[in-house]
Every structure is written in C-alpha cells, then in structure tokens.
Amino acid sequence: MKKLFSVLFTAVLVITPMTDVRAEANKSISIEKQAEEMAAKLVQNYGVTSLQYAIRDQGEIILSGSTGFHDKASQTRITKESMYGIGSVSKMVVTAATMMLVDSGKVNLDEPLTTYIQDFEMADARYTQITPRMLMNHSSGLYGSHYGNSMLFDDNDMRNHDELLLKLKTEKLKSKPGSYSVYCNDGFQLLEILVERVSGLSYSDYVAKFISNPLQLESTKTPQDSFDRDQLSEAYWPTIETKMPVENANILGTGGIYSTSEELTEFAEVLMGNRPDILSESSVKSMQNHEYRQGIWVSDERNTFNYGLGWDAVDLAPFSDYGITALAKGGDTMMYHASLITIPEHDISMAVLSSGGSSIYNQMFASNVLLEVLEDQGVIKDIKEDQTFSPPVKVKMPTELNEYSGLYGTVGTTLDIQVKNDEITLPALQGGIIPEQKYVYTGEGQFTSTDGSVKASFVKEQNGKVYVKVQAVISLPGLGQTVMNTYDYQKLDPNPLNTATGKKWADRNGTKYYALDEKITSIFYLLPSMLIKNLSVDTEIGYANGTQIVESDHAVNVAEIPVMNGRDAFDLQFYTKNNAEILIQDGQEYIAEDAITPIFGGKTGKTTIPASGQARWYAIDSRSANKSLTVDSPEGGGYAVYNEKGEVVHFSVATDQQSIELPKAGFIVFGGEAGDVFKIHLK
C-alpha cells in the first residue's frame, strides 16, 4: 500500500538536519538507551506521533520500548499493550494462512487459482494461468490495487472485498502471469478470498482460530473483530490538530491487521520455523525462496526489495553485507506504519510500529538496532561505516548511448529523456527523496547524480523492453542509509492519433474528474489526489496520464515495469451520463469538473444523495465564497470542503467542527446513503 503515502513521506523529509545517531553513540551506552534516543528523534523530526518496538531472541523478549503519546489529551504514554495497524505486514499473515492450507493438502501453490475461487474470471484469457504462488510473489500480472472504499474511519464496511471479483471480471492483465514480479495488493485480497473459500470460515475467524489463539495473541485483530478500540494508538493528520477517528483498513489480507510489536515478534516465530505445530518447516523455507529471480528483475545486487512469498525482501541489505540472511516486510496505512525483520539463522526478530512517519523509517530504525545487537552478541565484528560519495567526474560517453533518447513512461506519467552532452536529466525519484537533477556520464554505462549517491543506466531486458535502472543509496539524518535498486521508467513508442481522436483527447487535457463512488467515511477525503484525477494529455505522442490512447474514449496501461514502479496500473474509460462526462478508473466513477454546478448562494437549502448512492459535488463560486457553512447531516452522512488548490480545508467525518468559512473558490462534496438529505445553511 506504500504508493499512497509518497506525498506525506516527502513532506516529513523537510526536517532539521541531525547527526548520525550511531556515530554519536558511546559504546558504553546500552543498546536499550541507543534505541530510546533514536526513537525520540523519530518523534521529534520525522512526523512520528508514537513509536513501539520489540526484539525477540531465542523466543524471549530482550528489548521492548516505546515513545510518544497513546492519548495526547490525557498525556497517556504508549505502552507495550498499545495497538497499531500493521499495514502490509498483514500480507505475511494471509501468506502464512494460505501455507497452512498447503500443509493440510487443501491448496497447491502451482494449481490455477480458479481451482479454489471458481467464480474468479477476467476479460483476459491468461487469467487461468494465475496461481496462488503468483499472488504471493507479486507475479500474477494483475494491474495492482483496488483501493476504493477500503480505508474507512469508524466503518468496517467490507464492500471492497465483496466487489473485487466483480470488478476484475471486466479487467485485463498487464502482463503474462509469472513473467515478472511487481508489487500487487490485489493478489493478497484474492488470497484472503481463497482462505475463506477453502476453509469455509471468514478470514477474521480463520486468523483467530489458527494463528491468534494458538499463539495467545490477545491484541492481534482485524477491523471485523470485536475489541476495545481505545487500545489503538491515537493517529493524527498533519493539517488537523485533533486526533483522527479509528482507521479501519478493510482489505484484511492486504493490510487490515492490528497488533503490537511484541505480538508481531511472537508471530515471527511462526515465520522463522519455530512453531511447526502451526506452519511446517517446508512451508517456512518455501516462503524464503528467492521468488523474484523467476522473472525479469534488476540485477541481483544489494537491495531492500527481493521478493519471496509474502516477504518484501529475502536478502535484506545491509545484513547481506555481513553474509547474514535477513527477511523483511514493511507496511503503511494512511495512519499507521510498520516494519518486521527476522533473521532465522540467529533466531531473532524485531518489529517497529508507529503512528505517523513511514515504514521506511521503521525499517531503518530496526536495521540499526539489530546490527548493534548482532555486534554485541559477537555475530558480527564491527558495524560498517555509512558509504560516502564524491561529486562525479564526467567522461566521454559512447555515441551508441544516444540511441536511448526518446519517450519513456511509468504508471501515471510519460516523459522525454534526452541523452546528450554526456548527460541525462531525470525527475524526482523515490517519492521526492531524490530530487530532479542532471546525471553525468561516469563510465561503464552509468550516469551519476550531483552528489554521487545515485546511478542511472539503460538496460535492455529479455522481454525486449528498455528500462531506466536506478541504483540509489539514500541517507536520512539520524537513521543512516538504505539502498533501493529499481527499474523506474520504460521506453515507449510514440502513438500517432487520427484527427478526430486527437481532438477529443485534446479537449480533455487539464480537466479534473471528481470521485462519485467513495464512501464519505473514506480517509481518502483527506488526500484529494486519491479523489480528484487531473487528466494530462499529450496528443503528439498519444498518451494520457501515462496510458496509451487507443480510441476516442479509451486508453490502456502499457507499463510493464518490475519491482515497484509498475504497480497500481490503470486504464481510462469515458462515457456520458446525463450530459456529464464520466471517467471510469479501477472500477470507480469520476465526474468531469465542467458538469459540477455551483452550490446555491442563499441562506438555506438542501441536497439529497441520489438513488445511485453516489456523492454530490458542488462548486464554490462568488455567491458562496467566504460565507460560513453549517450543515445538518443525516446519521452516517458527511461532507468535505476543498479550496481552489484542491487542498482539504474541512472534513466533517474527521473533526467535530460544526461550521467552516468557505474559501474564495473550490468544491464541496456530500456523501451518505441513497435518499439522505443534507440541510445547508450559509451566512
């Protein structure tokens, strides 16, 4: 689920510079003290509200700590009992659950998925080739993620789960199943459904019966479970002072588990093979296979991504630098962030959970602390110093590299990359951590960034496609370094359009489309980029928002990029309803901005949710601008207000604020059940 959070991740990188914690640390200071100091700096400088962590060694907790507030209002501190959403670390739960069914002979990883979910079908004949293994190693070829109506405040509606198979029926695959691995959330939702179909239990009941209860995990729950929500650590949004309502990630197999750091390390005992009564040794070993090698992949260098079954990494750097095999899984919801690292050969695991921040921060924190533990135990002699870099020295580039100039794309965008004067220019990478900059040629086919920490090159893969490969060492003050080696862009062919098709798409360029199908309880109303689609069309090359235009009302994904950057692909489909142009993306409908009427300018009025249950959008114009808005909402209904920049200025579901002064321009959206009436007061 990580792609949702790049905007927030970038924002918290604008921080006060800090010196490296490990460089400062006196060796006489205990590991516990070092962990406390690093945790405190995460809270102080990285947008973290609270942090909880635990290390389990040889089955026993050897370190358990926390910092920050469980409840700011009462000044109650975080404790080891405080619960967090663990985001995509939940994928390890559904992977383990499926492997338990493998152990019992009820599932074969390499049988077609249709054997177990007989009503699974797609508008692409290749779907019959998808197997449970491909769901676990991200190689199914599915587009990626159906996020709609999944992340909800105080609402455990399972419509996302219930509608997934129906939406997939009309969709195609972006690649042949098994050809390469790229992060895919939908695969783990399908595993959740598989577990339910094969076991005859709801997924929540299965997890409770076969995982939580045997391990005595009292705080490992799903949003469907009954438990005291006050156990959940408070969560905050950067632009809102008050705490947020309870977040429910209702895509349970993908990211819906709550837990504590100590309980997560207890579950890690299963993943390391220490609980054969729950999961067999053969299944544990299978999950640790280097599955990413079965298809196209970046060359096998030190990395934080190398997929196993469920695992993000089965040979995690920096541990690989010491000849130690570490396994890792990270996870992010809108509010919570998690990292789990296990080192099976030394029977040790660490979990780090936070409210605010990022799973990347948590993983770097865990890596640093675990290296200190391994050094203290004599497993490693010394901890290596962080890499240092020098500004690059430009050398003459072979003329054949000029052939790589041209059109490139990734999911959501296209760009022109020109190889000239021994240089290339690339936009910001890794969610903005790496700035837009020039890269100069430094030999051996590589172009190097201004500070020397990032290298880019062009690679022609066995599928005949050319990719821009990025090898980055990312330094974060106080957290050290992490490495990411990825394919970021794919070379594309220009797509000439006929005159009529070109004109229709040109008329759409710059148009915004507003979500109609998202429940008003959705957390996405706080993140307008998820609700408002801004269409960018380049008719000269025949692409729109990174998709290739094929007809006047249809554009399709062409990105086939392994690892991370080819994830969450989409097509664009348009049709007209009641004289309004409607965009369909990922099975959700969006209405064109020019079809949105201004809200009335009088003192009182009302609006009603239509029989379709879709949201009602209104524009703020000169008649309503700067007026005070008060709304009498029906139970379960709510509204949000956005300014002319598309920034949320009020969301009734998230705050108790009764009225809001409207901006000089922008939009208001009302949501609820069909027939709900909202009484509106302006003054």
Side-chain angles (χ1 to χ4, degrees), residues 562-583:
V563 194
M564 290 293 285
N565 280 49
R567 60 176 292 181
D568 299 343
F570 55 84
D571 296 339
L572 302 174
Q573 183 73 51
F574 297 88
Y575 79 101
T576 301
K577 178 173 67 175
N578 299 328
N579 296 318
E581 183 168 72
I582 304 296
L583 163 66

Side-chain angles (χ1 to χ4, degrees), residues 158-437:
M158 291 290 289
R159 70 174 61 183
N160 184 290
H161 165 282
D162 298 340
E163 294 174 353
L164 179 62
L165 293 177
L166 182 63
K167 289 181 176 179
L168 289 174
K169 281 186 178 182
T170 63
E171 296 184 4
K172 295 184 177 181
L173 296 169
K174 62 187 174 190
S175 58
K176 179 183 177 182
S179 59
Y180 65 89
S181 293
V182 57
Y183 203 82
C184 178
N185 284 314
D186 282 352
F188 292 83
Q189 281 188 261
L190 287 171
L191 287 174
E192 176 189 334
I193 295 172
L194 178 151
V195 169
E196 293 180 326
R197 297 291 179 86
V198 174
S199 71
L201 299 172
S202 74
Y203 181 70
S204 293
D205 287 345
Y206 187 94
V207 170
K209 182 175 181 178
F210 294 103
I211 297 177
S212 295
N213 291 346
L215 291 171
Q216 298 181 336
L217 306 180
E218 297 180 356
S219 298
T220 299
K221 305 290 183 181
T222 80
Q224 298 299 302
D225 290 326
S226 176
F227 67 96
D228 182 4
R229 262 56 179 179
D230 288 339
Q231 290 180 256
L232 291 168
S233 171
E234 281 186 355
Y236 289 81
W237 194 254
T239 58
I240 297 175
E241 291 186 5
T242 56
K243 69 177 181 180
M244 293 293 98
V246 170
E247 176 196 65
N248 291 327
N250 296 313
I251 37 180
L252 309 184
T254 292
I257 301 291
Y258 305 111
S259 192
T260 68
S261 56
E262 288 194 8
E263 289 200 357
L264 200 50
T265 61
E266 183 66 53
F267 172 64
E269 293 291 292
V270 174
L271 302 178
M272 291 191 294
N274 296 332
R275 291 299 301 266
D277 56 317
I278 295 177
L279 188 63
S280 71
E281 181 180 354
S282 62
S283 285
V284 169
K285 293 296 184 184
S286 293
M287 291 166 65
Q288 299 173 14
N289 286 342
H290 290 225
E291 294 281 327
Y292 63 97
R293 292 176 176 167
Q294 297 189 24
I296 296 167
W297 193 259
V298 292
S299 51
D300 200 0
E301 299 150 331
R302 64 193 302 262
N303 208 342
T304 51
F305 297 116
N306 29 59
Y307 300 136
L309 296 181
W311 293 107
D312 286 344
V314 291
D315 192 18
L316 178 68
F319 300 95
S320 56
D321 300 338
Y322 303 86
I324 295 171
T325 299
L327 316 171
K329 185 74 192 82
D332 301 90
T333 66
M334 301 292 282
M335 300 296 167
Y336 296 118
H337 312 275
S339 179
L340 174 65
I341 297 177
T342 69
I343 307 175
E345 63 188 296
H346 296 291
D347 200 6
I348 190 168
S349 64
M350 183 171 185
V352 183
L353 309 179
S354 68
S355 169
S358 164
S359 63
I360 295 175
Y361 304 155
N362 294 1
Q363 182 169 301
M364 293 175 73
F365 171 78
S367 295
N368 283 335
V369 175
L370 282 173
L371 286 175
E372 295 285 355
V373 172
L374 293 172
E375 182 186 37
D376 185 65
Q377 294 179 349
V379 175
I380 60 177
K381 185 176 181 181
D382 294 298
I383 297 175
K384 300 177 186 293
E385 295 293 328
D386 286 345
Q387 288 182 255
T388 58
F389 303 94
S390 302
V393 177
K394 183 192 288 189
V395 301
K396 187 65 178 175
M397 182 188 78
T399 56
E400 58 264 26
L401 290 181
N402 289 314
E403 298 176 3
Y404 289 113
S405 293
L407 176 65
Y408 286 78
T410 189
V411 173
T413 190
T414 54
L415 72 159
D416 181 56
I417 297 178
Q418 290 300 312
V419 185
K420 60 183 180 181
N421 301 324
D422 308 320
E423 296 177 351
I424 61 173
T425 298
L426 294 178
L429 305 172
Q430 299 296 343
I433 305 174
I434 302 170
E436 179 178 354
Q437 61 187 306

Side-chain angles (χ1 to χ4, degrees), residues 375-581:
E375 182 186 37
D376 185 65
Q377 294 179 349
V379 175
I380 60 177
K381 185 176 181 181
D382 294 298
I383 297 175
K384 300 177 186 293
E385 295 293 328
D386 286 345
Q387 288 182 255
T388 58
F389 303 94
S390 302
V393 177
K394 183 192 288 189
V395 301
K396 187 65 178 175
M397 182 188 78
T399 56
E400 58 264 26
L401 290 181
N402 289 314
E403 298 176 3
Y404 289 113
S405 293
L407 176 65
Y408 286 78
T410 189
V411 173
T413 190
T414 54
L415 72 159
D416 181 56
I417 297 178
Q418 290 300 312
V419 185
K420 60 183 180 181
N421 301 324
D422 308 320
E423 296 177 351
I424 61 173
T425 298
L426 294 178
L429 305 172
Q430 299 296 343
I433 305 174
I434 302 170
E436 179 178 354
Q437 61 187 306
K438 287 183 178 180
Y439 295 74
V440 301
Y441 188 72
T442 52
E444 299 182 341
Q446 293 184 326
F447 298 80
T448 303
S449 65
T450 304
D451 67 356
S453 66
V454 184
K455 297 184 182 298
S457 57
F458 297 96
V459 177
K460 187 172 183 178
E461 270 288 0
Q462 59 192 26
N463 61 357
K465 300 185 186 301
V466 172
Y467 298 102
V468 176
K469 177 184 176 182
V470 176
Q471 300 168 267
V473 178
I474 297 170
S475 301
L476 296 179
L479 294 180
Q481 295 179 335
T482 188
V483 294
M484 294 186 184
N485 294 322
T486 57
Y487 285 146
D488 278 35
Y489 294 98
Q490 170 187 328
K491 201 169 193 301
L492 303 175
D493 295 322
N495 176 43
L497 303 177
N498 63 47
T499 302
T501 300
K503 183 180 185 309
K504 192 159 187 181
W505 280 92
D507 290 343
R508 293 184 177 120
N509 187 37
T511 300
K512 292 183 173 66
Y513 295 82
Y514 295 75
L516 294 173
D517 297 324
E518 195 72 11
K519 292 192 71 175
I520 198 61
T521 52
S522 173
I523 303 174
F524 292 164
Y525 283 97
L526 290 174
L527 195 66
S529 61
M530 296 296 297
L531 296 175
I532 303 172
K533 306 299 182 183
N534 193 353
L535 196 64
S536 177
V537 180
D538 189 333
T539 55
E540 290 188 9
I541 59 173
Y543 287 82
N545 286 17
T547 61
Q548 186 179 74
I549 297 168
V550 293
E551 296 174 344
S552 60
D553 292 325
H554 191 202
V556 299
N557 169 72
V558 290
E560 297 185 39
I561 307 175
V563 194
M564 290 293 285
N565 280 49
R567 60 176 292 181
D568 299 343
F570 55 84
D571 296 339
L572 302 174
Q573 183 73 51
F574 297 88
Y575 79 101
T576 301
K577 178 173 67 175
N578 299 328
N579 296 318
E581 183 168 72

Side-chain angles (χ1 to χ4, degrees), residues 643-654:
N643 63 22
E644 67 275 16
K645 296 179 181 179
E647 300 164 338
V648 63
V649 297
H650 180 68
F651 181 30
S652 66
V653 173

